[in-house]
Amino acid sequence: MTLLGLGLHLSGRSVGDPSVWQVSDEAREFMARSSEAWGTAYEASGAPADAVAAAVRGTTRFYVPEKIAGHSLSGE
């Protein structure tokens, strides 16, 4: 997220209202893919596959909570 924000800032762009963007489908996909990429790097470091899978699941659940009737579990 930090690199995304820095890249947008340096290019003179923004996501608009961050509270709206963070629950958008685009942001959810970005965060899910980031979790998966982090898991790939974690596994490459020698972490056991089961630990990697658990970490990716937990990270994804935290940053990309399930939607209920068009809203995330966080109430956003």
Side-chain angles (χ1 to χ4, degrees), residues 4-69:
L4 174 63
L6 178 61
L8 289 171
H9 173 75
L10 293 174
S11 67
R13 299 179 298 158
S14 80
V15 295
D17 182 347
S19 64
V20 172
W21 183 82
Q22 73 184 25
V23 295
S24 72
D25 288 338
E26 177 185 22
R28 294 172 60 78
E29 181 178 347
F30 176 82
M31 290 182 277
R33 286 182 174 203
S34 293
S35 293
E36 292 166 10
W38 175 84
T40 300
Y42 184 34
E43 189 168 31
S45 77
D50 60 333
V52 171
V56 169
R57 273 193 311 275
T59 301
T60 303
R61 278 190 211 138
F62 181 82
Y63 288 103
V64 189
E66 292 182 38
K67 286 185 172 183
I68 296 177

